[in-house]
Amino acid sequence: MRRFFVAGNWKMNLSRTGTRRLVEDLKARVGGEDRLDLAVAPPFVYLTEAVAAARGSNIKVAAQDVYCEEKGAFTGEISPGMLSDVGCTHVIVGHSERRHVIGETDDLIARKVKAALDAGLKVILCVGELLKEREAGKTNDVVNTQVVRGLFELSPEEMSNVVIAYEPVWAIGTGVTAKPGDANEVQGFIRTLLAEKFGGQLADDTTIQYGGSVKPENAGTLMGQPEVDGALVGGASLQADSFVDIIRNTAKAKKLG
Ligand code: PGA
C-alpha cells in the first residue's frame, strides 16, 4: 500500500546545536500517524547528532547525497555504508542543486542510487525540469529521461525502496510553487512510466513527493492532489512551526488519523 512521506532537506544550514534542537522539537510535536513517514536531512557532519536526537521517535534521518563507491581513494566523499553505519536510513540523490550547481550527470546519479540501495538505504530520487524546459514544453521529456536513466536498471525489489521527489527547479527556493494541478499531472506521468517498466502495482505503491516552495499555506492543496504523496521541503523545514504545520496539513489532506 502506498505510504505518504514528508521530508525536510536542511541543505547547508543549521549548526550542531541547531540540528539537535530542531529534531528534539519535532520529536515532541509530531509522529504516530499511520502511513505517514517523516525524515530530516541535515548536513553530513550533523547526521550523528540528528540520529541521537531522533532516537525513540519515528523521525528518520536522511543524508543529502552519497558517493557511488563503498570505500577507497575518493577524497571528500561519503559512502553508503558509512551512512548506514551512523544510523541513516534514507539518502537524497540527484537533488537539483547537485545536478545544476555541482554538475552531476544522470549516469553518476544512477550509480549513486544503485550503491545506496545495495547498502540497504532507501533512496529519494529528485527529478524536475528547468524553467526554460517547462516553457519549451519539454517537462515530460526531461522527467522521462531522469526517471529512465536514474531507475530503469533496477529490479522491482530495488525499486520498492525508492521514493521519487518531483521538484520543478524553478520552484525551488523561489517562493513560486507549481500549480497543484500541474504537479499532479507530472507526477501522474511519472507513475505511468513506472507502471510501464515495473507494473501497475509497484507504480501504485511508489511514493512520489512534490518539492519546491512547499509552505504551510500551500501544503494542504498540494497534498490534496491524488498523485502527490508528500513533500520534500527545503526552507520551511528549518523552523519547527512551519515544518510541523506542513506535516499536519499533509495528514489532514490525506485523511490520516
Ligand atoms: P524549498 O526547497 O522548499 O526551499 O523550495 C525544496 C528542495 O530543494 O528540496
Side-chain angles (χ1 to χ4, degrees):
M1 193 195 285
R2 194 184 307 173
R3 298 186 62 83
F4 305 112
F5 187 18
V6 178
N9 174 10
W10 291 350
K11 309 193 181 183
M12 200 169 72
N13 290 298
L14 298 176
S15 60
R16 184 148 74 115
T17 310
T19 297
R20 178 168 37 80
R21 290 211 181 117
L22 187 47
V23 175
E24 282 170 353
D25 210 351
L26 295 171
K27 186 172 161 176
R29 294 165 65 180
V30 295
E33 286 90 359
D34 202 24
R35 286 179 71 204
L36 180 59
D37 297 318
L38 304 174
V40 295
F44 283 130
V45 290
Y46 303 137
L47 287 172
T48 47
E49 195 77 26
V51 168
R55 202 158 284 139
S57 75
N58 65 348
I59 299 169
K60 304 276 195 273
V61 178
Q64 298 173 17
D65 186 33
V66 67
Y67 197 54
C68 55
E69 299 287 344
E70 201 37 56
K71 65 180 167 72
F74 303 102
T75 302
E77 296 297 338
I78 303 286
S79 78
M82 291 170 183
L83 295 180
S84 311
D85 189 31
V86 298
C88 271
T89 51
H90 291 67
V91 59
I92 299 169
V93 177
H95 188 276
S96 77
E97 286 141 24
R98 304 284 328 164
R99 291 178 188 268
H100 300 295
V101 182
I102 315 285
E104 291 192 7
T105 61
D106 283 316
D107 175 54
L108 178 61
I109 289 164
R111 285 157 55 212
K112 290 182 172 194
V113 169
K114 176 77 174 116
L117 292 169
D118 284 348
L121 294 165
K122 291 189 192 299
V123 168
I124 303 170
L125 176 74
C126 301
V127 300
E129 80 287 358
L130 297 164
L131 184 57
K132 63 172 190 265
E133 294 166 335
R134 171 158 285 262
E135 286 172 349
K138 292 197 173 131
T139 298
N140 283 7
D141 289 348
V142 171
V143 167
N144 181 22
T145 303
Q146 292 172 343
V147 168
V148 169
R149 298 231 181 115
L151 301 174
F152 275 25
E153 296 292 317
L154 301 178
S155 68
E157 204 201 324
E158 288 169 329
M159 184 57 212
S160 68
N161 286 310
V162 175
V163 167
I164 296 175
Y166 168 58
E167 300 203 304
V169 181
W170 47 270
I172 295 177
T174 58
V176 181
T177 31
K179 290 196 191 91
D182 290 349
N184 194 61
E185 197 177 308
V186 179
Q187 302 198 190
F189 170 70
I190 293 172
R191 212 178 294 285
T192 311
L193 296 174
L194 296 180
E196 282 164 11
K197 170 70 186 170
F198 297 103
Q201 187 62 53
L202 202 148
D204 204 48
D205 288 346
T206 300
T207 301
I208 307 181
Q209 299 172 310
Y210 167 81
S213 298
V214 177
K215 309 278 178 235
E217 309 79 75
N218 57 33
T221 335
L222 282 161
M223 301 307 132
Q225 302 294 313
E227 299 291 353
V228 179
D229 310 320
L232 183 56
V233 186
S237 69
L238 289 167
Q239 306 285 338
D241 285 349
S242 46
F243 196 40
V244 167
D245 282 348
I246 290 170
I247 294 165
R248 293 201 177 130
N249 291 347
T250 302
K252 215 184 285 170
K254 295 304 183 191
K255 301 187 171 44
L256 305 175

